[in-house]
Amino acid sequence: RAIDMRFIKLLAVAVIMLTVPFAMASDYRPSGGSGGGGAGPAGPSTLVFVGSSQIPLSGSTLVYIGATASTAAAEAGIPITNSTTFTKVAVDLSVGPGTENTWTITVMKDNTPTSASSTITGNSTSVALTTNIPNFAYGEKFSLKVDPTQGTPSSTIITFTAQAVLN
């Protein structure tokens, strides 16, 4: 079976988008001048990154998404390189779960579910989590648990965005 190079390029771009922004925002933020001119601007403190599951999600499989999509939580986590407060995590599906079916989306911190959780049911295709998202410290890992908690949801492609403030 031939591999479509467009898919490989898209996958590479998605991985870069998931792993580079934290390093860029935290490691290269200007901290001011040194030469008698006073301190410069503090630089950006809000960061948005985007992720995608790269493959369609099956309606019967629990999956974790972040740096990759996996059935193992430990493989999906995005390492945090700066103390971070997530202010919003939005999830979009290409297809709603279907009548009487539900996907439950949960923010994971170091492979452990948090209380930041919500469901997408029926024909709905999106949800935004804005409360109960814990702060993340340097070295901790961020991911999402996507669980078919009711019925067998329709297969879908999932995309997420996360907005964060660097502490």
Side-chain angles (χ1 to χ4, degrees), residues 11-100:
L11 178 61
V13 168
V15 169
I16 290 168
M17 289 174 68
L18 290 172
T19 57
V20 173
F22 273 112
M24 289 173 58
S26 62
D27 296 339
Y28 302 106
R29 184 178 345 163
S31 60
S34 63
S45 62
T46 300
L47 170 68
V48 176
F49 65 90
V50 179
S52 177
S53 68
Q54 314 314 323
I55 57 173
L57 299 178
S58 167
S60 60
T61 304
L62 178 140
V63 69
Y64 300 90
I65 62 170
T68 188
S70 177
T71 55
E75 294 176 9
I78 300 170
I80 303 300
T81 62
N82 195 42
S83 180
T84 302
T85 301
F86 288 94
T87 56
K88 180 179 180 181
V89 177
V91 175
D92 293 297
L93 306 176
S94 61
V95 177
T99 305
E100 297 183 24

Side-chain angles (χ1 to χ4, degrees), residues 1-12:
R1 212 165 112 173
I3 297 175
D4 185 345
M5 290 309 291
R6 291 175 297 176
F7 175 77
I8 299 299
K9 289 177 184 173
L10 177 63
L11 178 61

